[in-house]
Amino acid sequence: AQSVTQPDIHITVSEGASLELRCNYSYGATPYLFWYVQSPGQGLQLLLKYFSGDTLVQGIKGFEAEFKRSQSSFNLRKPSVHWSDAAEYFCALAGSNYKLTFGKGTLLTVNP
Amino acid sequence: EAGVTQFPSHSVIEKGQTVTLRCDPISGHDNLYWYRRVMGKEIKFLLHFVKESKQDESGMPNNRFLAERTGGTYSTLKVQPAELEDSGVYFCASSQESLTQYFGPGTRLLVL
């Protein structure tokens, strides 16, 4: 069975600080990995995805994520957080059947 | 290009009533997915259409839920009769090649 764990339910950072959101997965083969963001009142927006190749993936809004097979992780990072980044972030995995398995989400609060 | 749209954005109904949610995928996307997030839980897969055919409905909770996709275009998800535990946010997503799914804004359903 496949699963995704986001260990941090809620993270608070100051504007301008760096950010790392953790994601660990369990899957028997190479997974397809995604990060989505849901801003207040909005739907899920795709930030970035990893299918194969370069393990450091660049996404929109200045986000990047690194796939580490040895650690079964796909952590999301941003060097300098903006107030508009306050949102809920979801890590997701797709196996060969394409349906997404999501983590429980990490709520990001940005302090001015 | 228009994104995935969902209607209504919010619905409040009483237990035992019927509700129908609608999803219009991105034009040309053969794959359409329904997901649900119950309060405090992770987003979970409900079912997957390829054109008008149900590819995978393993996530449908019970036979009170009926999904259809007319002519391979829009899809409806009917809940009849609705129960309190059906409250949550229902997301629709579509994709062209199955791997990258684009989500709609969701329908927030509250069953009283």
Side-chain angles (χ1 to χ4, degrees), chain A residues 15 37 39-40 61 78 81-87 89 108 110:
Chain A
E15 191 168 17
V37 60
S39 299
K61 304 184 178 186
K78 186 170 185 178
V81 170
H82 187 262
W83 63 266
S84 60
D85 294 324
Y89 291 79
L108 174 66
V110 181

Side-chain angles (χ1 to χ4, degrees), chain A:
Chain A
Q2 58 198 56
S3 67
V4 176
T5 301
Q6 293 181 248
D8 304 305
I9 296 173
H10 188 193
I11 284 182
T12 300
V13 299
S14 298
E15 191 168 17
S18 63
L19 173 69
E20 182 169 28
L21 302 182
R22 295 183 292 164
C23 172
N24 292 96
Y25 69 89
S26 175
Y27 186 63
T30 300
Y32 305 115
L33 294 163
F34 306 81
W35 275 98
Y36 286 88
V37 60
Q38 185 177 22
S39 299
Q42 304 296 314
L44 292 168
Q45 182 181 22
L46 179 66
L47 280 177
L48 48 77
K49 59 190 177 185
Y50 172 77
F51 291 166
S52 65
D54 192 347
T55 56
L56 185 62
V57 180
Q58 302 297 319
I60 62 171
K61 304 184 178 186
F63 285 93
E64 66 177 26
E66 186 171 11
F67 172 63
K68 293 186 177 179
R69 184 189 304 276
S70 61
Q71 298 177 21
S72 297
S73 70
F74 188 57
N75 294 349
L76 182 71
R77 301 193 296 249
K78 186 170 185 178
S80 178
V81 170
H82 187 262
W83 63 266
S84 60
D85 294 324
E88 192 163 19
Y89 291 79
F90 296 93
C91 182
L93 174 159
S96 58
N97 57 9
Y98 302 139
K99 64 186 182 186
L100 293 173
T101 299
F102 285 86
K104 290 189 175 182
T106 298
L107 182 64
L108 174 66
T109 298
V110 181
N111 287 334

Side-chain angles (χ1 to χ4, degrees), chain B residues 30-77:
Chain B
D30 288 339
N31 296 279
L32 187 149
Y33 305 81
W34 284 98
Y35 293 84
R36 176 176 75 168
R37 189 183 194 193
V38 172
M39 180 89 67
K41 303 280 190 178
E42 61 269 34
I43 301 168
K44 287 199 171 179
F45 168 84
L46 295 178
L47 86 159
H48 171 203
F49 283 99
V50 177
K51 296 185 179 179
E52 67 275 8
S53 300
K54 292 177 186 174
Q55 182 77 11
D56 181 351
E57 51 183 331
S58 60
M60 295 287 265
N62 51 61
N63 59 10
R64 295 185 294 102
F65 289 75
L66 175 64
E68 295 179 323
R69 189 176 182 193
T70 307
T73 56
Y74 71 91
S75 173
T76 57
L77 180 64

